[in-house]
Amino acid sequence: MNPRLRLQPEAIGVGMTSQRVRDRLIERLRETGIRDERVLNAIRTVPRHLFVDEALATRAYEDTALPIGHGQTISQPWVVARMTEALFEDGHEPKRVLEIGTGSGYQASVLAALGLEVHTVERIGDLLRVARKRFRSLGLNVRSKHDDGRIGWPENGPYDGIVVTAGAPALVDALTEQLAPGGVLVAPVGAANAQQLLMLRKEADGTISRRDLGAVVFVPLLSGTIG
């Protein structure tokens, strides 16, 4: 767990991207109910300011979503922490994880920093190319694919965990089918202005149990690919 990231000087941060500012974010996450110290340490370690435009770097450690272009956002740190923490609840120890919606690459990097085997799919080519550069610069072994996230990545499944970082009116059957027995899927489900973050567990007999983790707002999960 927590493989050492390859941190260049720009990743260390100064001023509003310094370690002190990152530590304040971690304290806020604790205050809002995040308890898994492994997850908190991964968020403390991964330099979020490298996943946003330089003009927004001073806001990187605020607990808020930020734009990354193409109508997409980097998720609020609390949401990243809660979705990641859910993968480990009730003693579950995932090894292979699928992310739908690479975006900036931040969520995938947090998962990789936890020592997980990460597979991530992104439909917007421009975003994926930039995310891949970030993975390489941080020395993270994240497997990525430019494709329609709604179909997942079945040839590398089944997965112990699936994280969906875009909202849909209903769960996508193709994704739940790629979940291993005992695996956990975390996804925002519902209309654009009324999404709930759901945690699903596939039982040994193939049935799905679910828990509601609270209200969230995500960009929509769209089909097809761009660029």
Side-chain angles (χ1 to χ4, degrees):
M1 304 291 276
N2 281 323
R4 184 176 295 278
L5 300 185
R6 185 165 63 217
L7 298 181
Q8 303 299 328
E10 64 272 16
I12 304 302
V14 295
M16 294 304 292
T17 63
S18 68
Q19 191 61 57
R20 184 175 64 177
V21 175
R22 299 186 207 187
D23 289 344
R24 285 204 296 267
L25 170 62
I26 298 306
E27 289 308 311
R28 285 196 295 273
L29 295 178
R30 281 201 182 96
E31 290 168 2
T32 54
I34 304 301
R35 294 288 177 262
D36 194 314
E37 288 298 324
R38 297 169 295 183
V39 174
L40 291 169
N41 190 53
I43 290 178
R44 178 189 287 109
T45 303
V46 176
R48 190 172 185 251
H49 64 280
L50 298 187
F51 292 83
V52 298
D53 188 273
E54 189 174 351
L56 293 172
T58 58
R59 298 188 59 199
Y61 299 102
E62 296 176 9
D63 191 19
T64 187
L66 295 170
I68 57 172
H70 299 275
Q72 306 298 301
T73 61
I74 180 173
S75 294
Q76 176 188 0
W78 180 85
V79 170
V80 172
R82 189 67 189 94
M83 294 180 82
T84 304
E85 186 177 60
L87 296 177
F88 291 89
E89 289 190 4
D90 302 321
H92 186 232
E93 292 291 339
K95 293 181 173 62
R96 177 181 298 172
V97 175
L98 172 66
E99 179 198 31
I100 303 301
T102 313
S104 69
Y106 179 68
Q107 171 74 79
S109 296
V110 169
L111 294 170
L114 282 159
L116 304 180
E117 178 187 317
V118 181
H119 303 253
T120 183
V121 180
E122 173 56 54
R123 66 183 293 269
I124 302 175
D126 285 347
L127 289 179
L128 184 58
R129 284 186 283 274
V130 174
R132 283 171 170 165
K133 291 178 182 177
R134 290 169 176 147
F135 299 148
R136 287 194 295 270
S137 70
L138 291 170
L140 295 172
N141 183 24
V142 176
R143 302 177 186 182
S144 61
K145 182 180 184 182
H146 180 215
D147 208 342
D148 184 340
R150 294 176 63 87
I151 64 176
W153 199 342
E155 56 266 41
N156 287 335
Y159 301 95
D160 306 309
I162 299 177
V163 174
V164 184
T165 63
L171 291 165
V172 180
D173 289 342
L175 298 181
T176 56
E177 289 169 2
Q178 292 169 47
L179 198 61
V184 172
L185 183 149
V186 186
V189 178
N193 58 351
Q195 297 169 355
Q196 296 297 122
L197 187 61
L198 299 183
M199 171 186 167
L200 285 79
R201 186 182 301 276
K202 180 180 280 190
E203 307 298 343
D205 62 1
T207 60
I208 302 289
S209 62
R210 65 177 64 192
R211 282 176 51 198
D212 188 338
L213 303 181
V216 289
V217 177
F218 277 79
V219 297
L221 179 63
L222 302 176
S223 59
T225 60
I226 299 173

